[in-house]
Amino acid sequence: MRLSVLPGSEIPVYRQIFSQISSQILSGALPAGEALPPIRTVSKELGVSVITVRGAWDALEAAGLIETRTGSGCFVKALSGSEREEMRSQAIEKALSEYIENAKSLGYSEREAENLLREYW
Amino acid sequence: MRLSVLPGSEIPVYRQIFSQISSQILSGALPAGEALPPIRTVSKELGVSVITVRGAWDALEAAGLIETRTGSGCFVKALSGSEREEMRSQAIEKALSEYIENAKSLGYSEREAENLLREYW
Amino acid sequence: MRLSVLPGSEIPVYRQIFSQISSQILSGALPAGEALPPIRTVSKELGVSVITVRGAWDALEAAGLIETRTGSGCFVKALSGSEREEMRSQAIEKALSEYIENAKSLGYSEREAENLLREYW
Amino acid sequence: MRLSVLPGSEIPVYRQIFSQISSQILSGALPAGEALPPIRTVSKELGVSVITVRGAWDALEAAGLIETRTGSGCFVKALSGSEREEMRSQAIEKALSEYIENAKSLGYSEREAENLLREYW
DNA sequence: GTGGTCTAGACCACT
DNA sequence: GTGGTCTAGACCACG
């Protein structure tokens, strides 16, 4: 479980943690049933408050990605293959549409957008 | 000057306005010297507070994209071609790197990322 | 907006607040668009922490009952009549099934359960 | 002795076990003197920790419903008919008042509450 | 030892 | 003045 946060970023710390774990679940890197590390452990490792980590966990639970069993920990929820694939698609489409929207309004052509993608990947 | 905002979005209204105008300036759609519409007009059209629009204008001025001439309004600043091109590049690179980062952590390959771009453009 | 909490109860304070407001929304007592009182006000009135009130607000938002507009407050979300009726039905059915389950396992007949209901209403 | 637990429920496992056994005792399904199954057996059957079952047993003993005889097991305590009836009444009244409170705050009339009860019993 | 809840108080972003 | 985020620390319920 690799996590990292940028404290000064414009996007909230708990959201950063949320998207990292979310991506790992949707990509299959974190399989169903897997236990997440205890919030206190994560808190120490990242140097943020326990409450901040808890905020990320809450968001993950609200998104239906994990479930918490009080007293024993938090675990990656079982998602059907199609559910997971759908959420994964939605995530990439959202990111993609932001890129496309930006590129278009900045006056880039499709060809240029593709070349840049190849160049920076 | 076409603007639109999504009030319920997670990204602040003033930032939405900022990026739309910013993109139009960097793409050349809004040429140097062009007058921005009065704050109150924009406020009414978008149905947001005058203060919110003012925030967007401030951000644009801080970014060096517009200048305010007291009593007559706000105008697109004159940028050298190279300056403009550099800012435009930075803007697209930032958007691109976010897309790439998301795609990678979701487990997509470069080829898939390209195909999606072509499909959704 | 009438609220009351029992601090020593077995059910968390934020949950108590949640269900009271939730019921008022589903029963139509709180119409769509209505502004909820500021969390700090509620906090003072009930004598609980701001954070506790926020927990209730978060739960309401997660349940799709309210929406928060940063800087201006929290508002009752617009629900279609059928949506509202469905959520209201679900709420009463959940409460009802708990009553029935208890009554049955305690050995009460349907007739007795009805008589008790009439007696205590 | 039939027991079942829902691990993901919002109400603690030991409480679920407690109320099931409690109801069976108060309804007379489990007569005085009857032996409860060994903790380890219940633990295996339900797939929960021994400590959890122990918690339920403790709660039952604290409620005066069972007694433990060291070395031989736990047994349903002898209750006078009036004692048992009083506890049974209290249990149903508590469940009933929760249903009524919910129904009222959701805007249901007594008549509707009765009809629903008949319908879902 | 695990998560769940709560307090008191601070600073920031937004309207 | 509104909500959003975060800190530091405490106590409880649960397994």
Side-chain angles (χ1 to χ4, degrees):
Chain A
M1 167 109 284
R2 283 173 44 196
L3 292 171
S4 62
V5 291
L6 289 68
S9 161
E10 61 179 348
I11 106 173
V13 175
Y14 86 94
R15 220 106 191 53
Q16 297 179 37
I17 301 176
F18 169 83
S19 20
Q20 288 175 49
I21 296 187
S22 169
S23 293
Q24 293 186 37
I25 292 175
L26 294 180
S27 74
L30 275 176
E34 186 90 347
L36 264 54
I39 51 177
R40 287 179 250 245
T41 306
V42 178
S43 160
K44 277 176 201 152
E45 283 177 3
L46 296 180
V48 301
S49 162
V50 182
I51 310 254
T52 303
V53 181
R54 213 165 160 264
W57 262 230
D58 281 351
L60 286 165
E61 188 164 25
L65 293 171
I66 68 171
E67 64 183 346
T68 79
R69 301 182 204 142
T70 310
S72 48
C74 295
F75 301 83
V76 177
K77 225 170 163 179
L79 259 60
S80 77
S82 60
E83 276 178 322
R84 207 189 71 182
E85 191 49 43
E86 193 186 347
M87 293 175 85
R88 187 167 166 251
S89 292
Q90 281 178 4
I92 193 67
E93 279 173 30
K94 193 182 165 222
L96 177 55
S97 68
E98 278 170 12
Y99 174 49
I100 292 181
E101 195 180 334
N102 268 289
K104 279 185 176 171
S105 66
L106 283 167
Y108 286 94
S109 69
E110 184 182 352
R111 195 180 184 101
E112 287 170 316
E114 274 181 53
N115 288 338
L116 283 164
L117 175 57
R118 259 191 291 274
E119 184 180 347
Y120 282 93
W121 182 272
Chain B
M1 166 108 289
R2 283 171 47 195
L3 292 172
S4 62
V5 292
L6 287 70
S9 161
E10 58 181 352
I11 103 173
V13 174
Y14 90 95
R15 214 99 188 59
Q16 296 180 38
I17 300 175
F18 169 84
S19 41
Q20 287 174 49
I21 297 185
S22 167
S23 292
Q24 293 185 36
I25 292 175
L26 295 180
S27 74
L30 274 177
E34 183 91 349
L36 262 53
I39 288 186
R40 294 186 200 178
T41 306
V42 178
S43 160
K44 276 177 199 154
E45 283 178 2
L46 297 180
V48 300
S49 162
V50 182
I51 302 181
T52 304
V53 182
R54 187 72 215 287
W57 262 230
D58 283 352
L60 286 163
E61 190 164 22
L65 292 170
I66 67 170
E67 61 184 349
T68 69
R69 301 184 203 138
T70 314
S72 49
C74 295
F75 300 84
V76 177
K77 224 171 161 179
L79 259 60
S80 77
S82 61
E83 274 178 323
R84 208 188 71 182
E85 192 48 43
E86 192 186 347
M87 292 174 85
R88 187 168 166 253
S89 292
Q90 281 177 3
I92 193 67
E93 280 174 28
K94 192 184 165 220
L96 177 55
S97 67
E98 277 170 10
Y99 174 51
I100 292 180
E101 194 181 336
N102 268 290
K104 280 185 176 171
S105 67
L106 283 167
Y108 285 94
S109 69
E110 184 181 353
R111 194 179 183 104
E112 287 170 318
E114 276 181 49
N115 288 338
L116 283 164
L117 175 57
R118 259 191 291 274
E119 183 180 349
Y120 281 92
W121 183 272
Chain C
M1 166 107 289
R2 283 171 46 196
L3 291 172
S4 62
V5 291
L6 287 70
S9 160
E10 61 180 348
I11 104 173
V13 174
Y14 87 95
R15 219 103 190 54
Q16 297 180 37
I17 301 175
F18 169 83
S19 21
Q20 288 175 49
I21 296 187
S22 168
S23 292
Q24 292 186 37
I25 292 175
L26 294 180
S27 74
L30 275 177
E34 184 89 348
L36 263 54
I39 51 178
R40 289 180 249 244
T41 306
V42 178
S43 160
K44 277 176 199 152
E45 283 177 4
L46 296 181
V48 301
S49 163
V50 183
I51 309 253
T52 303
V53 181
R54 232 192 134 243
W57 262 229
D58 281 351
L60 286 164
E61 189 165 24
L65 292 171
I66 68 170
E67 63 183 345
T68 78
R69 301 182 204 140
T70 309
S72 48
C74 295
F75 302 83
V76 177
K77 225 171 163 178
L79 257 61
S80 77
S82 60
E83 276 177 323
R84 207 189 70 183
E85 192 49 45
E86 193 187 348
M87 292 174 86
R88 188 169 165 251
S89 293
Q90 281 178 3
I92 194 67
E93 279 173 29
K94 193 183 165 221
L96 177 55
S97 67
E98 278 170 11
Y99 174 50
I100 293 180
E101 195 180 336
N102 268 289
K104 279 185 176 171
S105 67
L106 283 166
Y108 286 94
S109 68
E110 182 181 353
R111 196 178 183 102
E112 287 170 317
E114 273 182 52
N115 288 337
L116 283 164
L117 176 58
R118 259 192 291 275
E119 184 180 347
Y120 282 93
W121 183 272
Chain D
M1 165 111 287
R2 283 171 46 195
L3 292 172
S4 63
V5 291
L6 288 70
S9 162
E10 60 181 350
I11 104 173
V13 174
Y14 89 95
R15 215 97 188 59
Q16 298 180 37
I17 300 175
F18 169 84
S19 42
Q20 288 175 47
I21 296 186
S22 167
S23 292
Q24 294 185 34
I25 292 175
L26 295 179
S27 74
L30 273 177
E34 185 90 349
L36 263 55
I39 289 187
R40 295 187 197 173
T41 306
V42 178
S43 160
K44 277 178 199 154
E45 282 178 5
L46 297 180
V48 301
S49 161
V50 181
I51 303 182
T52 304
V53 182
R54 187 70 215 287
W57 263 229
D58 284 352
L60 287 165
E61 189 164 22
L65 293 169
I66 66 170
E67 59 184 351
T68 69
R69 301 185 202 139
T70 315
S72 49
C74 294
F75 300 85
V76 177
K77 224 171 161 179
L79 258 60
S80 76
S82 61
E83 275 179 322
R84 207 188 72 182
E85 191 48 43
E86 194 187 345
M87 291 174 84
R88 188 167 164 252
S89 293
Q90 282 179 3
I92 193 68
E93 279 173 28
K94 194 186 164 218
L96 177 55
S97 67
E98 277 171 11
Y99 174 50
I100 293 181
E101 194 181 335
N102 268 290
K104 280 185 175 170
S105 67
L106 283 167
Y108 285 94
S109 69
E110 184 182 352
R111 195 182 182 98
E112 288 170 316
E114 274 181 52
N115 289 337
L116 283 164
L117 176 57
R118 259 191 291 275
E119 184 181 347
Y120 281 93
W121 183 272

